[in-house]
Amino acid sequence: MGNPLFDQMLGRHAGSDAPFLHLPDGHVQSYGQFVDSTARYAHALMDAGLQPGDRVAIQVAKSPEALALIFACIRAGIIFLPLNTAYTADEIAYFVENSGARLLVCDPAREAALSPVAEACGTGLTTLGASGDGALAQVASVSPVDFPTQDCEGGSVAAFLYTSGTTGRSKGAMLSQDNLLSNALTLVDHWQFTNTDVLLHALPIFHTHGLFVATNVILAAGASMVFMPGLDTAELIRHMPRATALMGVPTFYTRLLDDPDFTQEVSANMRLFISGSAPLLADTHRQFKARTGHRILERYGMTETNMNTSNPYDGDRRAGTVGLPLPGVEVKVCDDTGTEIPRGEIGILEVRGPNVFQGYWQMPEKTAAELREDGFFITGDLATQGADGYVTIVGRGKDLIIAGGYNIYPKEIESLLDDQPGVLESAVIGVPHPDFGESPVAVLVPEKGVQPDLAVIEAAVSQSLARFKHPRRYIVLDALPRNTMGKVQKNALRDSYGDLFS
Ligand code: MLC
Ligand code: AMP
């Protein structure tokens, strides 16, 4: 039977000297070495007592070893949950408990903070550091380089990617081997990746974009990537002359444009700049074209679906649109009942295809509410589709803020704020931000006669929530604007405070 995802991504590269990772220190890791590393980590997971089908929660810094651990999970038939390195212990506790993870892998520096979490959840705890240090790395380093890859059905779940929801509770989106493989193969073809490509990889590897789009496309094409710890514009520019492609969130492109060293000459070897995860302003697209001659290719995806639409490689890359449905992916713009509405009208975008996930882990009601029986997934994004098929995302039906490509659900922050002393109620809104696209701002209504202590509130927020979710401003009002039905009018708040960061 084999293990379709591992075999097609990596197994076929066993023993190959072809470069896979170009590291910042100049070191190059070959495909063969990386495949060996996955075997070592697969052994280390087995030594930790894991079995196929078990879950592993992974909150570690981006490194070749972290990537090898993820592919070791695939190789061993273990389901992995990659977790944002910014998450607090409170947040991690939820993911470990909800997923039933049998092992939590964290950075050695976080071990003390996360030990109580692991203990409370009855989960094993081990460590992996950015430079290949830590207890798990130690076991891996003395493990053999051959490992009997676990047979898996293509429909078996490879990963849980946690995604927040409008109710504030994160849901584990279950992605199968086939979901990931089909999308990677489609994208390689659509974006014309070959084994001569060199991708600048500066995204995190705990989200769909950096992991299942960027890394899987490179593996499926047998190409290589300059593997950077994070976004450093000067470093991107330094490596660009030897690279051919970049994938980034819009902040990557606005920061590049802000740097006078980013020129047409620097980008002369590049064949493709891809943007996604958040809306790219049409103005950024135009400025980029004017500065470099390159037309950024914008595509649209989600954690639950991987990639759905893309502007064409050849043909019209239309600024402000997310292009056409990818081959094999169906999209329709619908009313609330799922009935398609006429082309050109605004409705909710629904998508169906081999890329669409298997449902939310142990949340059948939420799965049923978002994934229709006929296979269409209700994205919650508001869109139009032109007569020529181009899709434009015009807004969100869901109450979601996207800051620098990270999703922030206001409800999660509001629930915490509402519990704070002196706070009667709150509303969190996304306000345009020049660097992150949007940033959260909290509007607080105090209990009668009370002045809420913002320092106490900010301390509680820091304790519970990752830094990127923290409101960047607090506004205190006597009452929230409401419509006649009593619903908070967030649009009115966004209108009032829309220029806070401009
Ligand atoms: C960092 N900070 C952020 C932030 N990233 N705040 C809001 N939103 C973000 N995205 C805060 C830090 O907490 C810190 O706060 C300050 O900004 C500087 O931190 P940093 O670590 O130096 O930031 P930087 O390295 O510059 O990172 C910014 C970034 C990064 C935009 C490069 O966030 C990033 O790589 N984003 C990509 C996210 C991504 O991969 N999304 C894909 C999701 S998948 P302070 O105040 O303490 O200084 C998906 C599906 C699809 O959406 O379609 O792809
Ligand atoms: P996530 O849940 O992190 O996968 O985020 C998915 C959401 O990001 C989508 O539902 C959209 O709202 C948004 N998104 C992704 N790509 C784009 C894009 N190119 N333009 C506008 N929004 C996007």
Side-chain angles (χ1 to χ4, degrees), residues 40 205 207 223 317 438:
R40 293 182 194 278
I205 55 169
H207 275 314
R317 293 185 198 162
E438 285 182 293

Side-chain angles (χ1 to χ4, degrees), residues 127-187:
T127 57
L128 174 62
S131 51
D133 50 324
L136 189 72
Q138 177 59 37
V139 178
S141 71
V142 294
S143 294
V145 295
D146 54 343
F147 179 85
T149 302
Q150 176 68 30
D151 283 342
C152 290
E153 302 271 359
S156 62
V157 174
F160 287 180
L161 255 67
Y162 273 84
T163 162
S164 304
T166 41
T167 57
R169 277 189 72 206
S170 282
K171 303 163 287 185
M174 298 186 284
L175 292 149
S176 71
Q177 288 222 337
D178 281 348
N179 291 150
L180 303 177
L181 189 55
S182 66
N183 212 236
L185 296 176
T186 299
L187 295 175

Side-chain angles (χ1 to χ4, degrees), residues 202-204 207-210 213 230-231 249 251-252 255 276-278 299-303 306-307 403-408 435-436 438-439 467-469 472:
L203 287 161
H207 275 314
T208 295
H209 197 163
V213 186
L231 178 60
V249 299
T251 303
F252 279 42
R255 287 194 190 173
S277 307
R299 75 356 170 234
Y300 158 77
M302 285 186 79
T303 298
N306 275 18
M307 299 304 101
Y406 287 153
N407 286 7
I408 302 168
D435 187 28
F436 291 132
E438 285 182 293
S439 253
R467 174 81 184 121
F468 68 87
K469 298 178 191 170
R472 295 299 151 136

Side-chain angles (χ1 to χ4, degrees), residues 335-462:
D335 63 17
D336 285 344
T337 66
T339 306
E340 198 163 358
I341 59 175
R343 286 272 168 119
E345 289 186 12
I346 296 176
I348 296 168
L349 191 66
E350 299 196 7
V351 300
R352 177 166 72 179
N355 51 318
V356 172
F357 77 137
Q358 309 300 301
Y360 297 113
W361 168 249
Q362 289 185 337
M363 291 188 184
E365 329 75 47
K366 290 200 191 301
T367 303
E370 294 183 38
L371 191 55
R372 295 188 189 280
E373 275 177 13
D374 63 5
F376 272 96
F377 175 66
I378 307 165
T379 65
D381 288 311
L382 298 176
T384 61
Q385 189 172 24
D388 53 7
Y390 276 72
V391 175
T392 304
I393 306 292
V394 297
R396 294 173 205 136
K398 51 197 173 189
D399 193 15
L400 163 69
I401 300 167
I402 305 185
Y406 287 153
N407 286 7
I408 302 168
Y409 275 89
K411 184 74 190 164
E412 186 182 13
I413 308 169
E414 289 162 0
S415 304
L416 182 66
L417 295 176
D418 292 350
D419 284 347
Q420 299 311 307
V423 176
L424 181 66
E425 59 175 350
S426 64
V428 172
I429 52 169
V431 169
H433 187 279
D435 187 28
F436 291 132
E438 285 182 293
S439 253
V441 166
V443 182
L444 301 177
V445 176
E447 282 165 2
K448 213 170 163 44
V450 179
Q451 190 57 37
D453 185 338
L454 291 183
V456 169
I457 293 174
E458 285 186 302
V461 168
S462 294

Side-chain angles (χ1 to χ4, degrees), residues 424-427 442-448 450 475-483 486-490 492-493 496-497:
L424 181 66
E425 59 175 350
S426 64
V443 182
L444 301 177
V445 176
E447 282 165 2
K448 213 170 163 44
V450 179
I475 291 155
V476 179
L477 290 185
D478 289 340
L480 295 174
R482 290 183 187 276
N483 65 16
K487 192 172 182 311
V488 176
Q489 291 178 299
K490 289 200 169 177
L493 291 173
S496 302
Y497 303 107

